[in-house]
Amino acid sequence: MKDWIQKLSLIISIILVLNTSHIVIAGPYLNSAHGNNSYGVKRDVTELSGYARGNCAHCHEQHASIDGGEPTPSSGDASAFCLFADNFSGKSTGSYEQSDNFCFYCHCYTDATSLQTPNFTNYNYSRTFGGYTDSSIDSIYEAFNQNSYHNLYDVWDFAKTNFSSWFKEDSNPCCACHNPHLARRNKENPGDPNYSAISKPSAHNELWTQTMNDYAPNKYQAPYRHNSTTACEPDGASCDLNTQAQKTIDYVSFCQDCHVYDMGSYGLSHTPINWNTDKHGNAIRSRDYRDGQPIIKPPYDVTAVSNYVLSCLDCHEPHGSYSYKYLIRKEVNGNITNVTADTHDGWKTLCLRCHYRDHTGKPCSECHYHGSSNF
């Protein structure tokens, strides 16, 4: 009798463990953009015809080559993580080819041959959250092949050094900011941070859903969407400070996971960035008016909030940009920018989106930059 009870207890324990594992592992993936059975991964080749949408096999091939002709991967050997192609070529600078990054095989829309069925777009931040529909950037692949971009080799090298507990030699640089098994479709739900597509490098196994209102309560004002003075980012539903702040992901804490480091060796000046002492961050505003005129334009209001705190993505694109440097957004606070050179005329197209006054004859960036005391 005693042996029977022990065996029954063991069977129940195994069932509970298996059931718990199913919830922990399968649940988040099935909720992700890649695992969803309606719009998840689906590589439409003959060998995968029997695999359901969202099946792991659309990215991971169990025996290095799912059609049995091993090894098929372009490197001539099985790829890390059993992927159908190599994760990252190690190319040190753009422009990038599709084969340089595994993610480009699907996140390319019509800028290359996408393996995903059906094909899909990934617009830039200016369009998705800023409403700038004139943008011609339709894919992540295209975004990275612009004048200014997050250098994939530098991202890979930095993550390998600073987040080595999980980021390894064979990891993909995109995974420094995205967990492909957790990332959701924020682009389809721009006003709901629970659909975030990002994970902090220091917390790779968690979806990052904290909002700007969590980071800076009552201090974050979302900027206008394109050509509007009543609709603000990220979804255009209103311009109410607290309402829109609770919809905007906390990109400050996210970006500071890396940019709090000195990145001079990667060619990034004015680093580390300290948002607690930066004038566009938590530092106290020096003045409200100049020559009787407010120093900032609507929707910012010097009489309403004593110290606004900006999000990094109010000015910067996350993947790439047309600008000569610094990933400057094409659309900022309702209007377009044109920072194609380090000139007065170029920079004022950015700074005058939110400020009334500019200096003549020299670029704004000569005196005003992250960490500068000249404000």
Side-chain angles (χ1 to χ4, degrees):
M1 181 66 178
K2 183 178 180 180
D3 290 344
W4 184 87
I5 292 176
Q6 287 177 334
K7 289 179 180 177
L8 179 61
S9 299
L10 178 62
I11 291 172
I12 292 174
S13 298
I14 291 174
I15 291 173
L16 288 174
V17 168
L18 290 176
N19 191 46
T20 301
S21 298
H22 173 76
I23 293 171
V24 172
I25 296 173
Y29 176 66
L30 296 180
N31 290 332
S32 76
H34 295 117
N36 187 279
N37 60 14
S38 296
Y39 47 75
V41 289
K42 184 168 177 55
R43 190 157 45 108
D44 192 21
V45 294
T46 303
E47 294 79 8
L48 288 167
S49 60
Y51 288 81
R53 181 177 297 281
N55 193 293
C56 310
H58 291 293
C59 294
H60 304 278
E61 298 191 340
Q62 299 93 317
H63 302 108
S65 174
I66 207 160
D67 61 1
E70 304 177 43
T72 293
S74 56
S75 66
D77 201 352
S79 296
F81 308 108
C82 295
L83 295 170
F84 66 77
D86 290 343
N87 232 343
F88 177 52
S89 68
K91 193 172 186 179
S92 60
T93 185
S95 58
Y96 298 109
E97 302 293 332
Q98 190 177 32
S99 58
D100 285 325
N101 189 319
F102 178 80
C103 303
F104 290 160
Y105 281 105
C106 292
H107 289 273
C108 60
Y109 191 47
T110 58
D111 303 303
T113 303
S114 176
L115 301 184
Q116 170 72 3
T117 300
N119 204 349
F120 64 101
T121 56
N122 284 119
Y123 299 130
N124 59 14
Y125 195 92
S126 291
R127 179 166 181 171
T128 303
F129 301 98
Y132 180 58
T133 56
D134 290 340
S135 170
S136 61
I137 305 303
D138 297 324
S139 74
I140 302 298
Y141 176 58
E142 185 179 21
F144 273 99
N145 275 317
Q146 298 183 89
N147 296 328
S148 175
Y149 54 93
H150 260 117
N151 183 295
L152 291 173
Y153 180 87
D154 290 349
V155 171
W156 172 81
D157 185 65
F158 184 85
K160 190 161 54 80
T161 302
N162 294 283
F163 305 105
S164 59
S165 63
W166 66 271
F167 195 98
K168 305 299 181 185
E169 187 81 14
D170 291 326
S171 295
N172 188 301
C174 297
C175 292
C177 297
H178 304 279
N179 183 326
H181 302 128
L182 299 178
R184 305 188 73 187
R185 294 210 302 175
N186 203 186
K187 66 170 189 166
E188 300 294 339
N189 305 275
D192 189 345
N194 290 312
Y195 282 86
S196 168
I198 55 179
S199 294
K200 290 176 71 174
S202 62
H204 180 66
N205 292 321
E206 301 171 13
L207 200 63
W208 181 243
T209 59
Q210 182 168 299
T211 71
M212 283 302 297
N213 196 58
D214 296 324
Y215 174 74
N218 305 313
K219 291 183 177 180
Y220 177 71
Q221 170 64 61
Y224 287 138
R225 280 168 63 92
H226 186 53
N227 276 341
S228 178
T229 57
T230 57
C232 285
E233 298 181 3
D235 62 352
S238 80
C239 274
D240 180 76
L241 182 144
N242 288 319
T243 299
Q244 297 308 99
Q246 292 178 53
K247 298 176 180 178
T248 305
I249 292 172
D250 171 12
Y251 295 109
V252 174
S253 299
F254 179 79
C255 298
Q256 289 271 275
D257 226 25
C258 293
H259 288 276
V260 73
Y261 290 84
D262 183 345
M263 295 183 163
S265 61
Y266 295 105
L268 296 182
S269 57
H270 314 311
T271 58
I273 295 172
N274 186 342
W275 215 231
N276 288 322
T277 58
D278 197 289
K279 279 294 183 183
H280 290 102
N282 286 300
I284 301 300
R285 194 163 63 227
S286 305
R287 59 170 65 90
D288 293 339
Y289 297 89
R290 182 188 290 273
D291 299 329
Q293 186 179 47
I295 66 166
I296 47 179
K297 295 179 177 178
Y300 308 102
D301 180 356
V302 295
T303 66
V305 177
S306 60
N307 185 46
Y308 286 106
V309 174
L310 302 189
S311 159
C312 308
L313 297 195
D314 289 349
C315 294
H316 301 282
E317 286 286 346
H319 299 123
S321 159
Y322 77 95
S323 63
Y324 83 100
K325 208 172 182 181
Y326 303 122
L327 292 89
I328 303 298
R329 281 177 52 172
K330 186 62 181 176
E331 186 277 339
V332 171
N333 198 27
N335 213 327
I336 62 171
T337 71
N338 194 34
V339 191
T340 55
D342 189 18
T343 62
H344 166 260
D345 287 346
W347 278 104
K348 77 175 185 180
T349 66
L350 170 66
C351 301
L352 292 185
R353 299 284 70 81
C354 298
H355 294 277
Y356 283 105
R357 183 174 184 268
D358 73 307
H359 305 288
T360 57
K362 58 183 179 181
C364 310
S365 60
E366 187 171 316
C367 299
H368 310 299
Y369 47 83
H370 291 312
S372 170
S373 59
N374 295 317
F375 282 92

